[in-house]
Amino acid sequence: MSAKFDYYSALAEDTASHLTKSREQWTAFLRMAGRVSKYTYEEQLMIFAQRPDATACAEYELWNNTMRRYVRRGAKGIALIDNSGDRPRLRYVFDVSDTGARKNSREVRLWHMEDEYVRPV
């Protein structure tokens, strides 16, 4: 494996082992995980380790083609370990804060809890 892959594998293991050592860490992880709920637990760990403030993550192509937003030059992608193929590899996602709007960009709607739904939930 490459040094980069080994680094991110170690980062994932380290994050997982330290996550539950403090209430604040665990709560911060759960808050972030709620914002990126479409990702697996392992991917959420990687996102939290690299960008605990992430709000909406997606791959480069989704930001460009579907949302018609551009990923800012110099933005650092969030590395995720992809085990779906015959050998593990890294794939990258970008947070909405790494993107910019164009004239024809789609609106990014971030989920949030409305006060009227707090009691039923």
Side-chain angles (χ1 to χ4, degrees):
M1 291 286 152
S2 72
K4 192 183 256 190
F5 183 84
D6 292 340
Y7 168 78
Y8 285 113
S9 293
L11 179 65
E13 289 179 28
D14 186 55
T15 302
S17 67
H18 290 91
L19 197 58
T20 57
K21 293 198 179 197
S22 79
R23 181 181 199 159
E24 292 78 22
Q25 264 305 84
W26 182 243
T27 305
F29 170 75
L30 291 176
R31 259 193 221 101
M32 189 275 325
R35 294 189 301 261
V36 294
S37 61
K38 79 172 200 163
Y39 292 95
T40 66
Y41 172 73
E42 291 81 10
E43 292 170 335
Q44 290 173 346
L45 274 177
M46 293 297 293
I47 293 168
F48 183 73
Q50 297 166 72
R51 294 284 295 274
D53 61 336
T55 55
C57 296
E59 292 183 345
Y60 183 85
E61 291 78 20
L62 188 129
W63 287 125
N64 276 311
N65 301 334
T66 306
M67 299 302 292
R68 296 184 294 274
R69 297 178 67 86
Y70 64 92
V71 174
R72 290 191 177 98
R73 178 167 293 181
K76 188 172 189 288
I78 302 167
L80 304 178
I81 298 173
D82 182 3
N83 291 311
S84 64
D86 53 340
R87 63 183 178 91
R89 66 180 185 89
L90 295 176
R91 70 182 179 94
Y92 295 88
V93 295
F94 295 87
D95 186 53
V96 66
S97 64
D98 295 326
T99 70
R102 296 181 176 128
K103 283 184 183 178
N104 64 345
S105 293
R106 293 175 61 184
E107 178 186 353
V108 177
R109 292 189 213 144
L110 301 176
W111 183 89
H112 65 279
M113 175 64 93
E114 299 287 341
D115 289 339
E116 63 188 275
Y117 300 123
V118 169
R119 184 158 170 74
V121 171

